[in-house]
Amino acid sequence: MKLSALRGDRGYLPLEDHGLIGDGTTAALVGRDGAVVWLCAPRFDAPPVFCRILDAARGGAFTVSPDILVASGQRYIEDTGILVTEMQGPTGLLRVTDALTLRAGADLAEDAPAGRAELLRLAEVVEGTVEVRIDVAPYGGAEVTQERDGLRFYCRARPELELWLASSLDLTGPARTVRLRAGERLHVALRFRSAHRSRAVAPEQRLEATADAWRRWASGIRYDGPARSLVRRSAITLKLLDHFESGAMVAAPTSSLPEVIGGGRNWDYRYAWIRDAAFAVHSLRRIGLAAEAWGFLGWALDAVDRDGRPKVLYDLDGELAPPEEICDALEGYRGSRPVRWGNAAAEQQQHDVFGEIIDCAYQWASGGGEIRPALWRRLAPLLEGAAREWRQPDHGIWEVRSAGRPFTYSAALCQVALDRGWRLAERYGLPGDVDGLRRTAEEIRRAILEEAWDPRVGAITSALGGGPLDASALALPLRRVIPADHPRMIATTEAIAAGLRAGDGLLYRYLPGEYDDGVAESDEGAFLLCSFWLVDNLTGQGRLDEALSLYEELCARASPLGLLPEQIEPATGAFVGNFPQAFSHVGLIASGVSLARALGPRARAQEGG
């Protein structure tokens, strides 16, 4: 493991200097400085217990580190969600192993809780002597009492939540420094449920059970192509964003990490977007992980049943996400206000959700799943909605906060819904107007090619009737709406690659100065997923050397741990936006699979990464 000095800015590490751990219920970010700077408990969309990443002074953290830190590095234990941080002090090297622990024998493919509601931290001095600092400081402060089994924390910001801290040390308070010599170790475990309900199991056993569960799940990954280790890590990262019990998948584990440092494009992504989760499970299915596809479909259909039509996003239970509110108590990452809880997009109309759900059902059936009459009855209203609403304005894939438009991507996903719908009905003899669905799907496809096409820019644009360039047009071949090698798709690819170019293989999703998205700030980073879409189009057009070269450039932008953000700051290469981002890892997997299939035997020569 390579150790390097930390680069901080007013108490904030770069986003790429953090690792993610999780247990299928919640997740935590652990910095290279040994601090847990983000953790929501008991689950992803709960208020934070630690959020120093959003306020270095007041956010709170759980630190295990040398008293004086000189250099550090991180790695994952292979094929697991267990993180190892090595930290060099002036006189010794400390290794901290972190996990949100899993139950012994847990099957991560089941729709069942697997976590123990426990953050376990094992510290060992590898060489020399280290003054090890332990400091547990929840956001908002806490009243701490000493109990027989450790410390109990009553969090002031979370009066309904009790935390229990157990340790191999005799802790009398939330902060302590202890000297350890080479070979000596300690552990601290923070639990989100009563310590009296936790059976005494040695920490090493809990860690090994967690590693075993992850390895059993990862053994199902089937991929043999470019950047093999990064694709496997991306699959594990997506699984870390999966809420095992419900089948939902959060877009990211964080809130309000800015798209531009100092800007206000800061959103709460700790919810399940129909679109994001559908992309994710589609990618996982392509590498052999079909259980997640079925889990998501069941979750989405249950959510739709509650209110009759799909919303854009939901909480983990399939209920409407909470209304958006601004938190004035936190300054935001590196002073980037505002911090937001909740997401106003929950009330938007986005017609692509019809296609996302129907396509997930189609992929499920293609993989051997059965579309029974009861399931078809739940899907049929989505087909009716797609046929009815495809020309109507909505807020689109980018969730504009301005007036709606008949966005091209939304119309395209209505086409996907109807296309997959008639194919399912015909294949399984299900009731419905097969010819009508087929005709309307073709009508939408023609409308996209004709009405969204702007001959002045030589591209399919953002909306029916025309508009500015929009990188989401690159997704049309991926959804099998328009072939990648169609002349107008080839022209669109060239226009987007030139007109939305951010440099070094990066693309903006659109140019905010030309694209009224209803947000005052005009700047944002380059959107990683769009560059992966460009890889897919180049692959589909037979431009394999260009596609592979771009894919390798994008993979090289991953953090040392193999994690990707939502966006990249083009001038510096720094990570911006919520982190890690499901969309970006979806793109890495999907592009790798497409390239592997196109390259054939040549792909095995590109298995590095």
Side-chain angles (χ1 to χ4, degrees), residues 261-281:
I261 301 302
R265 292 178 180 264
N266 315 326
W267 318 112
D268 190 349
Y269 279 10
R270 299 171 302 139
Y271 306 104
W273 270 254
I274 294 288
R275 172 178 51 251
D276 296 39
F279 267 104
V281 297

Side-chain angles (χ1 to χ4, degrees), residues 110-269:
E110 288 185 347
D111 291 339
R116 295 171 55 92
E118 174 191 65
L119 170 57
L120 177 63
R121 315 199 70 186
L122 296 176
E124 178 181 7
V125 173
V126 178
E127 59 185 40
T129 302
V130 179
E131 298 288 335
V132 181
R133 180 169 65 94
I134 301 167
D135 189 0
V136 183
Y139 169 52
E143 300 293 333
V144 182
T145 62
Q146 191 164 16
E147 308 283 340
R148 180 176 59 85
D149 297 310
L151 301 179
R152 182 188 292 191
F153 289 72
Y154 299 90
C155 301
R156 297 190 184 101
R158 299 284 307 282
E160 82 287 0
L161 180 69
E162 290 184 8
L163 303 177
W164 296 77
L165 187 72
S167 177
S168 54
L169 298 176
D170 182 16
L171 296 177
T172 58
R176 180 178 173 184
T177 299
V178 59
R179 177 177 294 174
L180 296 183
R181 295 174 175 82
E184 293 182 331
R185 57 175 57 187
L186 63 83
H187 77 267
V188 281
L190 187 68
R191 296 172 182 144
F192 321 135
R193 65 182 182 188
S194 171
H196 304 302
R197 297 176 57 194
S198 297
R199 185 167 58 89
V201 179
E204 291 80 7
Q205 289 180 265
R206 304 201 298 271
L207 191 69
E208 189 57 36
T210 302
D212 286 346
W214 277 112
R215 290 181 183 124
R216 283 194 300 274
W217 181 84
S219 68
I221 299 172
R222 300 287 179 264
Y223 177 77
D224 189 16
R228 182 176 182 273
S229 63
L230 266 180
V231 167
R232 293 183 71 85
R233 177 50 52 188
S234 287
I236 293 168
T237 301
L238 291 178
K239 191 63 178 173
L240 285 166
L241 303 180
D242 183 18
H243 187 249
F244 298 171
E245 182 175 7
S246 68
M249 184 175 290
V250 297
T254 55
S255 175
S256 303
L257 295 179
E259 297 175 9
V260 172
I261 301 302
R265 292 178 180 264
N266 315 326
W267 318 112
D268 190 349
Y269 279 10

Side-chain angles (χ1 to χ4, degrees), residues 322 419 505:
D419 177 81

